[in-house]
């Protein structure tokens, strides 16, 4: 007998101060029913991906507690990092893991936003399956201009947003000291995705940026001098991607979201980036799975790298080797593979 | 009142000896009802694209006369060129232009092969919509191993072809002196396509080859060390493509077939290649339309390069400028645009 299980993957705009990160994670751990499955700080992004799961009502409480703690502890006014962001919690998606639909997860996101809006001091945006209208579905549209552009959006001087994407869905609609600290917070719902970063052997991110815009499904926007616009598609299906430097390691990454890991398996993303890196006389140095990955995705990658392997363990091991998941990062199958992590936590 | 009109675009494996090329073109001109619309020799490819049109029965006679003349005048034994080829006439497609279906054009191709098979001294292959089975549809499959591999296919020692693609559909099934001269001849039917080559400012074709395999719809085949295989898709839809050097001009080309110019417009192909060339710190130097192009495709490119232009002439002119069709080659709208060429020929 199973029961509904929801994953929540908030990203907070703090990737360096472990004391603050731990304090924020702690409020989730203290929320009854919530199990923290991963905490992945990134100093260059200045951002931490936190993964937790539990029954829907518990995850709602955990998310609210996490957002309130982040608003309390973090401050956007001096925040600089490689990853685009709008506020102290820059994305807080609800993801259906078991016995719950995407629509029901969207309802959880709306509940969180309504509860937080009661104080009225944070600009709150709903995205993904929880978006209030089609134009607001894409996070990249809502986030255009990032934190630095938010003041202009609220005081009406912004020229880059349409009326459909400019303002928050709820909460603060006016710029203030507290909004300057928190920025805008984006809460949403989406299907499970795999956050997958491929490491490129280069300082800076010149090659990684080129690869990112070749592989991402949205491809490249191509303009004519006279203002004509057309878009090529990318080499990978259902993938968001961009190139970023990882100064800490002296490498760069093609940072991707595999939105449908059946359409774009891990090994396809890896080998396509590898082939494009070779075009530029450089090489890959492994890759990184941030957060959770479905077991099937690892098994499929394992079959590609080691067609003769049969057991799940041997296939996972072949995938870890083939994708170089331990080259610059650490991959613990018991923590990163959803099914195995849930087992370890007593099925939550 | 219109009548059925068919285009035939044979490619002959001679791109240097103008006397021979003219003699072969002449037999088409002498065929009642056939109008030659284009003759485009390419010395590097060692190949000439001939375009003619007319009523179905005339085009069948013209194609047979052209193939017989090519078998008589050309000799594959010392042929070397940049373009893959199997014999002296390497592709002879029938293309529906007006009031005729693709299936009816396939029937014309089969008629040509049956008539030529009566002599029995040429290996004849049917491809495209005229293929005798699904595995034989793709020219690249039938042509694998090229002219140099044909002997092994006929004497049974070939290991690269499956039984489905190895042998001719009709004509010679045994290697002989005359087969050594003619090679294999591929006759087929297809929808209208645009043969479109983008010029890259580089000697050799190192960048053009990379671009070709990124843009072509079939993308790149990615192998693991242990034999796993997976394919990325390319950035352009319904496009075949490869990079080739054009030593004559000291440049290279991304040589493409736009199989559906509505799905991949000319300007999308051009600008995508341009963007990828810039990745490699090189530039494009115009492009080339080989044979005919539908007026709509030129108008659409014109609207991209010059959104304010309105007349057909102004739009075509903007497309010619934007695509650089006169940079290294010559584009005569009255000869290359199907509708205008037909008008000039009195609607044939």
């Amino acid at each position: 007998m199973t029961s509904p299980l929801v994953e929540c993957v908030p990203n907070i705009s703090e990737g360096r101060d472990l004391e603050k990160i731990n304090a924020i994670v702690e409020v989730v751990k203290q929320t009854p029913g919530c199990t923290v499955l991963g905490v992945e700080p990134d100093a260059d992004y200045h951002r931490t991906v936190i993964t937790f799961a539990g029954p829907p009502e518990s995850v709602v409480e955990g998310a609210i507690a996490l957002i309130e703690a982040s608003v309390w502890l973090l401050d956007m006014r001096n925040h600089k990092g490689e990853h685009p962001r709008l506020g102290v919690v820059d994305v807080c998606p609800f993801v259906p893991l078991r016995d719950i639909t995407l629509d029901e997860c969207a309802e959880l996101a709306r509940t969180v936003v309504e509860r937080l809006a009661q104080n009225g001091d944070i600009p709150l945006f709903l995205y993904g399956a929880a978006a209030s209208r089609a134009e607001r579905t894409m996070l990249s549209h809502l986030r255009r201009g990032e934190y630095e552009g938010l003041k202009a959006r609220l005081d009406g001087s912004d020229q880059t947003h349409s009326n459909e994407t400019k303002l928050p869905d709820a909460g603060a609609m006016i710029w203030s000291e507290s909004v300057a600290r928190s920025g805008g917070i984006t809460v949403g719902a989406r299907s499970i995705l795999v956050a997958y970063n491929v490491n490129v052997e280069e300082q800076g991110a010149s090659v990684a940026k080129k690869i990112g815009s070749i592989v991402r499904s949205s491809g490249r926007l191509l303009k004519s001098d006279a203002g004509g616009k057309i878009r090529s598609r990318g080499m990978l299906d259902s993938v968001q991607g961009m190139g970023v430097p990882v100064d800490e390691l002296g490498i760069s990454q093609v940072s991707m979201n595999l939105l449908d890991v059946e359409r774009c398996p891990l090994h396809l993303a890896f080998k396509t980036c590898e082939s494009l890196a070779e075009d530029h006389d450089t090489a890959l140095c492994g890759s990184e799975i941030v957060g959770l990955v479905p077991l099937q995705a690892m098994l499929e990658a394992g079959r590609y790298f080691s067609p003769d392997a049969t057991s799940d363990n041997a296939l996972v091991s072949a995938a870890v080797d083939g994708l170089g998941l331990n080259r610059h990062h650490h991959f613990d199958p018991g923590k990163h593979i959803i099914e195995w992590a849930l087992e370890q936590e007593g099925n939550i």
Side-chain angles (χ1 to χ4, degrees), chain A:
Chain A
M1 183 64 196
T2 59
S3 53
L5 195 60
V6 176
E7 184 192 39
C8 185
V9 195
N11 290 210
I12 61 171
S13 291
E14 175 62 64
R16 296 164 193 167
D17 185 331
L18 289 181
E19 210 169 308
K20 285 184 183 169
I21 295 169
N22 288 336
I24 291 166
V25 170
E26 193 58 29
V27 302
V28 179
K29 285 189 179 162
Q30 296 301 325
T31 307
C34 287
T35 304
V36 174
L37 297 169
V39 178
E40 292 166 280
D42 187 303
D44 287 302
Y45 286 4
H46 204 349
R47 182 179 182 90
T48 298
V49 178
I50 298 161
T51 308
F52 66 99
E57 56 280 13
S58 302
V59 172
V60 163
E61 296 305 325
I64 291 173
L66 175 139
I67 293 171
E68 287 178 339
S70 301
V71 168
W72 180 253
L73 288 171
L74 307 182
D75 188 339
M76 289 303 290
R77 284 174 298 186
N78 293 308
H79 184 274
K80 286 216 184 321
E82 292 293 340
H83 201 292
R85 75 289 176 268
L86 189 59
V88 290
V89 180
D90 183 89
V91 311
C92 180
F94 291 83
V95 181
L97 279 192
R98 189 179 70 198
D99 292 341
I100 187 166
T101 66
L102 181 58
D103 280 347
E104 288 166 333
C105 284
E107 195 50 43
L108 301 180
R110 285 189 283 268
T111 301
V112 166
V113 160
E114 277 164 30
R115 291 260 306 271
L116 289 168
Q118 288 166 9
N119 283 340
D121 51 5
I122 316 169
L124 295 156
F125 296 81
L126 284 160
Y127 75 96
S132 52
R133 50 190 303 162
E135 296 89 341
R136 298 174 70 93
T137 305
M138 295 272 290
L139 186 65
S140 56
H141 293 174
L142 282 184
R143 193 161 59 185
R144 190 180 300 138
E146 296 193 45
Y147 169 75
E148 289 71 13
L150 185 61
K151 185 168 187 296
R153 288 165 74 173
L154 296 182
D155 71 21
S157 64
D158 169 83
Q159 299 293 324
T160 61
H161 277 266
S162 67
N163 286 336
E164 283 72 32
T165 58
K166 192 184 297 189
L167 293 177
D169 284 285
M173 298 288 168
I174 296 170
W175 186 257
S176 68
E177 259 321 272
S178 71
V179 172
R181 283 177 54 92
S182 70
I185 287 179
T186 44
V187 183
R190 60 163 171 79
S191 301
I192 197 158
L193 66 72
V194 180
Y196 183 55
N197 302 332
V198 163
N199 304 326
V200 183
E201 199 82 80
E202 61 156 353
Q203 293 205 309
S206 141
V207 173
K209 283 179 180 169
K210 289 168 187 170
I211 296 175
S213 62
I214 291 175
V215 297
R216 68 176 177 221
S217 307
S218 63
R220 289 185 177 176
L221 178 66
L222 305 159
K223 296 181 185 173
S224 78
D225 293 339
K229 285 182 188 174
I230 196 163
R231 235 179 207 295
S232 70
R233 70 180 187 189
M235 291 182 88
L236 301 177
D237 194 6
S238 306
V239 170
Q240 299 168 325
M242 61 180 175
V244 286
V246 185
D247 297 335
E248 198 185 4
L249 300 173
I251 60 170
S252 70
Q253 284 188 328
V254 183
S255 175
M256 289 175 278
N257 285 325
L258 311 185
L259 304 178
D260 184 339
V261 77
E262 287 178 23
R263 287 187 169 205
C264 178
L266 292 163
H267 53 291
L268 178 61
F270 181 81
K271 293 293 284 188
T272 303
C273 291
E274 180 181 67
S275 164
L276 293 168
E278 284 166 5
D279 282 1
H280 291 277
D281 300 317
T282 181
L284 298 190
C285 43
S287 62
E288 175 190 21
I289 290 171
V290 184
L292 297 176
V293 59
L295 177 60
Q296 276 309 322
M298 292 297 287
L299 298 182
E300 207 189 326
R303 280 187 281 269
Y304 171 80
F305 287 110
S306 183
D308 299 330
T310 48
S311 75
D312 283 5
N313 275 326
L315 286 167
V316 166
S317 170
V320 170
D321 284 354
L323 301 169
L325 294 177
N326 285 324
R327 271 295 284 283
H328 278 290
H329 303 87
H330 177 62
F331 183 84
D332 180 343
K335 288 187 175 165
H336 280 87
I337 296 175
I338 298 174
E339 289 82 349
W340 294 2
L342 292 178
E343 257 171 42
Q344 289 203 349
E345 298 293 337
N347 216 357
I348 305 193

